[in-house]
Amino acid sequence: MRLAVLLSGRGSNFEAIHNAIERGELHAEIVCVITNRPDAPGYQCARKWGYDSYVIDHRQFATREAHEAEVLRVLDQARPDYIALAGYMRLLTRSFVERYRNRILNIHPSLLPSFPGVDAQAQAIAHGVKISGCTVHLVDENLDAGPILVQRAVEVRDDDTAESLAARILVEEHKAYVEALRKLS
Ligand code: GAR
């Protein structure tokens, strides 16, 4: 399974995927890593681990479409079977989704369809839900939406802050992403 990874930040989900491949728990090959943020720590890891890595900074393009055209150019060269969004904080256009229909995965730190968008963990705390978690899903044109592949539940404690909840959800995210990719492979 040829895998492309798109990320914007820390890259801990990317690291979990990398580690699972290294340990032989996931039969996949990461064929390229793309970030829209030059300072993304995940990008530094990608370089350190020797992956074909690309900074495609959205701020250097006049339109969303122009930025995506460059991302697609790099992706098309890498010929991935699947594209894993791993903390990639850009909304994809309809034509991007159509080009790779049912082959783009995303991870989100809530039990979708609850709490899409930013600060999902804080939204969960604010609503007082007792159970939250994470979701790996196929991407459609809408924000944090599309067919669900894997969910893992996390109990919300009375004394949780958004940060403490996020930390426990993140542990489950790393398992969930590998599980979803393993299913597909
Ligand atoms: C993760 O918690 C992921 O679920 C979230 O961003 C974080 C990225 O962490 N994604 C979203 O909120 C998407 N709407 P990472 O860079 O350490 O993988």
Side-chain angles (χ1 to χ4, degrees):
M1 182 170 73
R2 296 172 64 83
L3 198 61
V5 176
L6 272 58
L7 56 83
S8 301
R10 182 177 50 190
S12 73
N13 278 289
F14 161 50
E15 183 176 4
I17 296 165
H18 164 83
N19 287 342
I21 294 171
E22 291 287 295
R23 289 196 293 255
E25 293 164 8
L26 173 64
H27 299 293
E29 179 192 357
I30 296 176
V31 293
C32 77
V33 178
I34 300 173
T35 183
N36 63 312
R37 295 250 169 222
D39 55 350
Y43 172 70
Q44 300 306 330
C45 293
R47 294 195 45 154
K48 188 173 73 192
W49 295 329
Y51 293 120
D52 280 342
S53 312
Y54 303 84
V55 176
I56 307 174
D57 186 341
H58 60 281
R59 294 166 299 189
Q60 293 183 345
F61 294 82
T63 63
R64 180 176 297 273
E65 287 72 20
H67 175 251
E68 274 195 357
E70 182 59 14
V71 174
L72 283 170
R73 193 185 65 76
V74 171
L75 282 174
D76 289 351
Q77 273 179 2
R79 294 181 294 104
D81 298 308
Y82 288 97
I83 299 168
L85 307 183
Y88 186 64
M89 295 312 202
R90 303 277 302 164
L91 194 57
L92 303 179
T93 65
R94 177 175 292 273
S95 70
F96 190 114
V97 172
E98 270 166 14
R99 178 98 145 251
Y100 284 95
R101 169 81 58 197
N102 291 332
R103 295 200 285 146
I104 310 171
L105 286 79
N106 182 43
I107 185 146
H108 185 74
S110 74
L111 295 177
L112 291 173
S114 290
F115 315 135
V118 293
D119 296 329
Q121 304 93 335
Q123 292 184 56
I125 300 268
H127 277 78
V129 296
K130 305 304 173 203
I131 299 190
S132 190
C134 60
T135 304
V136 182
H137 63 97
L138 294 173
V139 170
D140 70 15
E141 293 77 8
N142 302 308
L143 178 66
D144 297 321
I148 289 170
L149 298 173
V150 172
Q151 288 189 310
R152 293 183 71 92
V154 171
E155 189 183 347
V156 183
R157 298 177 186 154
D158 289 344
D159 61 351
D160 258 332
T161 61
E163 289 71 29
S164 65
L165 178 60
R168 291 205 314 289
I169 291 176
L170 193 64
V171 173
E172 301 306 316
E173 288 187 40
H174 298 160
K175 298 175 196 162
Y177 222 147
V178 171
E179 191 184 332
L181 289 167
R182 211 187 286 125
K183 276 188 182 183
L184 292 174
S185 79

